[in-house]
Amino acid sequence: MNVKEIKEMVVLMNENNLLELEVEKDGMRIKLKKNTAQAPEAQGAPIFIERERALAPVLESKAQEAASSKIASNRIEVKSPMVGTFYRAPSPEAPPFAQVNQDIEPGQVVCIIEAMKLMNEIKSEVRGKVLEILVDNTEPVEFGQALFLIETR
């Protein structure tokens, strides 16, 4: 599912005054939900996106994402799985999870994205070296936005 399809779903929700919409396609389920603290007919009400996937499609999908996001034969972008606020460390006093030129392992936390007061750890899916950090600490990020450039090994 791509950004254009999600935007079309948001338009559909607004045109029909829907509070929630859930769609499953290609093993990925996306749930759009309007902020119910505002009036349901409010056209500008924020919409929250929750992504869920079954385990088998995750492995397949992750391989496809890694292949499609390759910059060079051994370089990939780590992309944000959600809209939120990017944090390089678990707290202001703590050292960053990942630094430029640092070696990382699969499953290693590289950052946190805060979404709706929830702290979501973003983990590396590859072994490699951090070439570049593409987002500043505390900066808002979008779904699919590149966060890190990694040289895989």
Side-chain angles (χ1 to χ4, degrees):
M1 207 167 291
N2 60 39
V3 175
K4 181 181 176 194
E5 291 172 313
I6 294 170
K7 286 181 180 180
E8 289 171 357
M9 286 186 263
V10 170
V11 169
L12 176 71
M13 287 180 68
N14 286 334
E15 288 175 351
N16 294 288
N17 293 326
L18 299 176
L19 295 178
E20 269 185 53
L21 178 67
E22 189 169 342
V23 176
E24 187 167 346
K25 180 181 176 186
D26 300 328
M28 180 189 291
R29 183 173 29 177
I30 293 187
K31 183 177 182 181
L32 302 171
K33 187 174 184 180
K34 273 195 180 179
N35 183 355
T36 56
Q38 298 180 14
E41 58 276 354
Q43 292 292 323
I47 295 177
F48 302 102
I49 300 173
E50 298 173 15
R51 292 184 346 153
E52 298 176 16
R53 298 182 189 178
L55 183 57
V58 165
L59 299 175
E60 214 173 272
S61 163
K62 298 269 185 210
Q64 290 171 352
E65 286 175 14
S68 68
S69 67
K70 289 206 179 215
I71 305 265
S73 62
N74 65 338
R75 294 182 182 185
I76 64 163
E77 292 177 331
V78 173
K79 295 184 179 186
S80 177
M82 65 190 71
V83 173
T85 303
F86 174 86
Y87 293 101
R88 291 190 58 201
S91 70
E93 308 82 36
F97 291 112
Q99 306 240 28
V100 172
N101 293 323
Q102 177 182 343
D103 290 329
I104 57 170
E105 297 292 324
Q108 180 178 337
V109 176
V110 292
C111 68
I112 291 176
I113 296 183
E114 177 188 3
M116 296 174 20
K117 307 274 185 214
L118 294 175
M119 299 297 182
N120 301 282
E121 291 183 339
I122 308 304
K123 298 179 180 179
S124 173
E125 295 177 10
V126 297
R127 174 177 287 114
K129 180 171 83 171
V130 178
L131 294 178
E132 193 174 349
I133 300 171
L134 305 169
V135 181
D136 291 329
N137 194 42
T138 71
E139 187 174 303
V141 294
E142 297 293 325
F143 171 78
Q145 180 177 347
L147 305 173
F148 295 90
L149 181 59
I150 308 291
E151 180 179 54
T152 61
R153 298 198 174 136

